[in-house]
Amino acid sequence: MAAAAECDVVMAATEPELLDDAEAKREAETFKEQGNAYYAKKDYNEAYNYYTKAIDMCPKNASYYGNRAATLMMLGRFREALGDAQQSVRLDDSFVRGHLREGKCHLSLGNAMAACRSFQRALELDHKNAQAQQEFKNANAVMEYEKIAETDFEKRDFRKVVFCMDRALEFAPACHRFKILKAECLAMLGRYPEAQSVASDILRMDSTNADALYVRGLCLYYEDCIEKAVQFFVQALRMAPDHEKACIACRNAKALKAKKEDGNKAFKEGNYKLAYELYTEALGIDPNNIKTNAKLYCNRGTVNSKLRKLDDAIEDCTNAVKLDDTYIKAYLRRAQWWDCSSPRLSL
């Protein structure tokens, strides 16, 4: 008898929780309407909560996923929004707004080709849909900007790449790949604060992003903060062991640091011929590292002065200021050696 009583209690506790389909649909619609009200008030977090409740009640309703996707898009959570949009069209392939939202998410994340497919499907369902027509054009424009940027990067026309990425990011604001390419080109142009800012923004959202870590290191490397740069390159390689650019930059940074230090040591020991050779080898490691190479030219100029090769010393300092026109020490040393090499007037 006791066992039967316990069974009755369990049944009594669970029976009220069961809802029939019609009741579940009514409750889901209520949640959806509440979500719509919050969405209209631009309270997207609350709208998201109510759309989620609607989905929990009726997980086979395409429009609920579509509404939550729209909300996530307004919150800038495009990857999550993409999942909801894709689920909405899996449930109902004729859901035009679902295809539009899927395409918009793909485009915002920088996948223009996938976006085109989504917009094409929307146009198949509604060939007069003005939004689909415009978004299809936008996606094709992004693909064209990507193509031009790739070509110009190979040509080392970094300003053009920055321009193309700025235009592409107008349509793909959440694309880390475009942002990283822009940041890398800004670093190559010597616009280090801008490049650092872009990379730092990405790292705030994703501290393990190897490309952003690489760009941070690249900026430090080109600003002659080589030890700190190596730390970022190593961290990037820890996140992505096959990151080719980080691997090359790390190797160059370590080689530059070692050669420069060996050259300094040889100079201090009075071995000027060896110091000259080491500084020359260091200059051949990475022609893109303007600041470090300017210092290497100036150091080699000092070595040449010790070897009584004043013309070569002056030429090295001239090369130093060509690379870095703010390098005061190179100007002063060149002036000093010019004075020493100038013929004196007989009085």
Side-chain angles (χ1 to χ4, degrees), residues 297-313:
Y297 271 120
C298 193
N299 286 2
R300 196 175 71 173
T302 303
V303 171
N304 275 321
S305 74
K306 294 293 184 181
L307 293 170
R308 302 198 179 282
K309 298 178 179 178
L310 293 184
D311 288 343
D312 291 342

Side-chain angles (χ1 to χ4, degrees), residues 11 17 30 34 40 52 65 85 98 110 131 164 210 217 226 231 255 289 315:
M11 290 177 66
E17 295 177 6
T30 299
Q34 288 174 297
T52 300
Y65 286 98
Q131 184 184 353
C164 287
I226 292 179
Q231 291 173 12
N289 195 321
E315 185 180 352

Side-chain angles (χ1 to χ4, degrees), residues 33-74:
E33 292 302 324
Q34 288 174 297
N36 289 350
Y38 280 112
Y39 188 95
K41 291 190 289 187
K42 299 185 179 181
D43 188 343
Y44 301 118
N45 286 308
E46 275 304 304
Y48 171 86
N49 291 335
Y50 278 100
Y51 290 140
T52 300
K53 289 178 182 180
I55 288 168
D56 291 341
M57 296 304 298
C58 284
K60 300 295 184 183
N61 189 303
S63 70
Y64 296 166
Y65 286 98
N67 285 4
R68 193 169 71 173
T71 303
L72 286 165
M73 290 166 71
M74 297 306 294

Side-chain angles (χ1 to χ4, degrees), residues 265-277:
K265 184 172 180 288
F267 180 82
K268 288 175 183 176
E269 292 173 353
N271 192 341
Y272 302 129
K273 184 179 179 183
L274 177 59
Y276 178 89
E277 290 172 359

Side-chain angles (χ1 to χ4, degrees), residues 66 69-70 73 78-79 81-89 95-123 131-140 142-143 171-174:
M73 290 166 71
F78 291 101
R79 202 162 294 282
L82 176 61
D84 274 353
Q86 288 173 325
Q87 180 63 8
S88 76
V89 297
F95 186 27
V96 174
R97 280 186 293 178
H99 288 292
L100 284 171
R101 286 166 186 157
E102 181 186 5
K104 189 69 175 175
C105 289
H106 277 308
L107 187 56
S108 295
L109 292 165
N111 191 344
M113 190 172 291
C116 280
R117 289 195 292 268
S118 296
F119 297 136
Q120 280 176 323
R121 179 59 184 147
L123 287 167
Q131 184 184 353
Q133 290 170 354
Q134 184 57 54
E135 294 291 3
F136 184 74
K137 289 178 183 177
N138 294 344
N140 276 289
V142 169
M143 284 195 288
F171 303 113

